[in-house]
Amino acid sequence: MVSLSGIYNRGNQRIDEVFPKYTLLGTHAGRRTFICNALSLGIPAHVVMKWTGHSDYKAMKPYIDIADEIKASAMDKFNDL
């Protein structure tokens, strides 16, 4: 299990709290991750839009831009050959 810690001071006392990662992530983070992963795998945007309920291409544009950056960095690996 992955955990994240938060260290802060309260007065002169150091507080160190450790939380499991799943308690810190919400459903929106999961939704964004799903959309970005689906697009980067090459699933067409219109299919992902049907799955997620997006009706406007403008709302999907930020996700498509992220997927395009991922694909471009993957293609850059060929330059290292």
Side-chain angles (χ1 to χ4, degrees):
M1 173 171 62
V2 176
S3 62
L4 301 173
S5 65
I7 301 171
Y8 60 93
N9 294 322
R10 183 178 297 151
N12 63 353
Q13 183 181 13
R14 178 184 164 156
I15 309 293
D16 186 8
E17 296 180 323
V18 178
F19 304 98
K21 187 184 275 189
Y22 68 87
T23 64
L24 302 173
L25 297 175
T27 55
H28 188 70
R31 177 181 168 89
R32 288 182 54 93
T33 302
F34 171 79
I35 294 169
C36 290
N37 285 339
L39 293 172
S40 67
L41 288 172
I43 298 172
H46 70 277
V47 174
V48 177
M49 288 174 68
K50 288 183 182 182
W51 291 343
T52 60
H54 286 93
S55 58
D56 185 9
Y57 180 79
K58 192 166 123 178
M60 283 295 287
K61 184 73 170 112
Y63 302 109
I64 293 169
D65 290 342
I66 292 170
D68 288 344
E69 289 175 20
I70 291 169
K71 290 177 185 177
S73 67
M75 288 300 290
D76 284 341
K77 293 179 182 178
F78 282 106
N79 295 332
D80 296 334
L81 294 178

